[in-house]
Amino acid sequence: TATTEIYTLSLHDALPIFSVAMAYYNGGMYIEEQMDTILTQLGEQDEVIVSVDGASDGSKPLLLKMAEEDKRIHVIKGPGKGVVKNFENAIRHCSGEIIYLSDQDDIWKPDKVKKVNEAFLNPKVKAVLHDAQIVDECGNPTGAEGLFANRGSRKGILKNLVKNSYVGCCMAFRRELIPVICPIPKEMYMHDYWIGTAAEYMGEVCFIKEPLIDYRRHSSNVTQMTHGSMSFMIKKRIDIVRCLGLLKRRVKEAGEEIEKVNG
């Protein structure tokens, strides 16, 4: 569960700074509402890194204005190589101890950050995943089942290889994962699965069953609720299995480095 009363360390002592990594591409229609729901939950020392792959919808002036008005917002140029590399770029620029992943068009519930941060008071937890309510373009609930029910969300390397539970906009993870997850292999088409699996290898993943965002579904969503063709899915799973060998090696090397430092 997300409740961790046995951990008495204060939140700010344990987690001095938080980062939000956002991959942006022509998101001017929803970005102001999304950003408002994020910033109201962050402290003055926290940050939002917006990696911009494209703003041809005329939203560049809006982004720059937002960054000028709130110094916690940092707008950086994206690599222009797709959503996975755009998220990686944002993550690499984050300085926080806890990194939240964010899409450009969802709505954070008012207590999302508080409840996710409470889960991280358990030092064994390397990543947190929470449920999401599905809403339409206008932010109205659709009545559809939540993401956890839709994906049968739970931990497990094999389970998530078959059907991925790790939806990025519902995830946060510790900074210590960055040397393991970056760079993300070009064959890995799901950055969130890659991060979630790394967290499982390195410790524990906490699943919060409460929906802590409104997950907006519309025609321009990058993440789709349906799968591709069978041949596409088989090829991608083969690519992922190959990538997992690399991930295991990185985790082992990270552990060896920690032992040297503590040695």
Side-chain angles (χ1 to χ4, degrees):
T1 64
T3 305
T4 53
E5 293 91 343
I6 61 173
Y7 298 97
T8 58
L9 191 63
S10 76
L11 186 61
H12 289 293
D13 287 341
L15 309 171
I17 186 171
F18 308 104
S19 296
V20 178
M22 179 183 293
Y24 185 91
Y25 182 80
N26 292 342
M29 182 176 295
Y30 304 110
I31 186 62
E32 287 183 285
E33 181 179 14
Q34 167 70 313
M35 194 67 75
D36 284 345
T37 67
I38 293 173
L39 292 173
T40 56
Q41 301 185 54
L42 299 183
E44 290 302 316
Q45 80 280 13
D46 300 328
E47 63 183 7
V48 181
I49 307 297
V50 186
S51 180
V52 182
D53 257 359
S56 58
D57 60 346
S59 59
K60 183 177 180 179
L62 173 62
L63 290 173
L64 296 178
K65 180 183 178 184
M66 292 169 64
E68 182 178 354
E69 292 178 348
D70 194 316
K71 299 305 181 184
R72 293 174 294 179
I73 302 173
H74 305 278
V75 179
I76 61 174
K77 182 177 176 57
K81 296 180 179 179
V83 64
V84 172
K85 286 299 179 183
N86 202 17
F87 265 113
E88 180 183 326
N89 186 53
I91 290 167
R92 285 180 178 274
H93 283 82
C94 289
S95 59
E97 292 303 316
I98 299 297
I99 298 169
Y100 285 77
L101 298 180
S102 175
D103 290 345
Q104 63 195 17
D105 52 5
D106 297 322
I107 303 167
W108 285 21
K109 301 286 191 181
D111 54 355
K112 164 174 166 139
V113 170
K114 176 179 180 295
K115 291 185 175 180
V116 171
N117 289 347
E118 287 174 352
F120 277 115
L121 291 178
N122 180 344
K124 295 180 181 178
V125 170
K126 303 303 180 184
V128 175
L129 184 77
H130 61 74
D131 203 356
Q133 176 179 239
I134 312 301
V135 300
D136 63 18
E137 295 186 8
C138 299
N140 301 312
T142 64
E145 60 184 3
L147 283 185
F148 275 20
N150 178 269
R151 293 173 177 264
S153 297
R154 64 182 187 274
K155 64 182 179 180
I157 305 299
L158 179 58
K159 184 276 168 201
N160 287 292
L161 177 62
V162 175
K163 189 169 186 179
N164 181 38
S165 298
Y166 296 118
V167 179
C169 60
C170 298
M171 289 181 67
F173 60 93
R174 293 190 188 274
R175 179 178 183 81
E176 65 192 75
L177 266 64
I178 293 181
V180 173
I181 63 177
C182 294
I184 301 174
K186 59 181 176 58
E187 296 84 5
M188 178 57 61
Y189 76 111
M190 297 185 295
H191 62 283
D192 36 19
Y193 169 81
W194 181 249
I195 295 169
T197 303
E200 286 202 42
Y201 281 144
M202 297 180 72
E204 297 180 5
V205 178
C206 176
F207 283 67
I208 301 176
K209 295 181 180 179
E210 183 179 353
L212 296 180
I213 68 166
D214 288 339
Y215 186 65
R216 201 189 306 260
R217 305 307 303 164
H218 51 83
S219 58
S220 56
N221 279 120
V222 172
T223 302
Q224 299 298 326
M225 300 289 281
T226 56
H227 296 297
S229 67
M230 181 60 68
S231 60
F232 172 83
M233 298 307 296
I234 291 173
K235 179 184 182 303
K236 289 301 181 183
R237 272 17 183 214
I238 293 173
D239 288 341
I240 291 172
V241 169
R242 290 171 177 166
C243 290
L244 290 182
L246 171 62
L247 186 60
K248 287 182 179 179
R249 289 195 297 274
R250 290 185 185 177
V251 170
K252 181 180 179 182
E253 290 169 359
E256 292 172 350
E257 287 298 317
I258 292 173
E259 288 181 3
K260 289 179 182 178
V261 172
N262 296 333

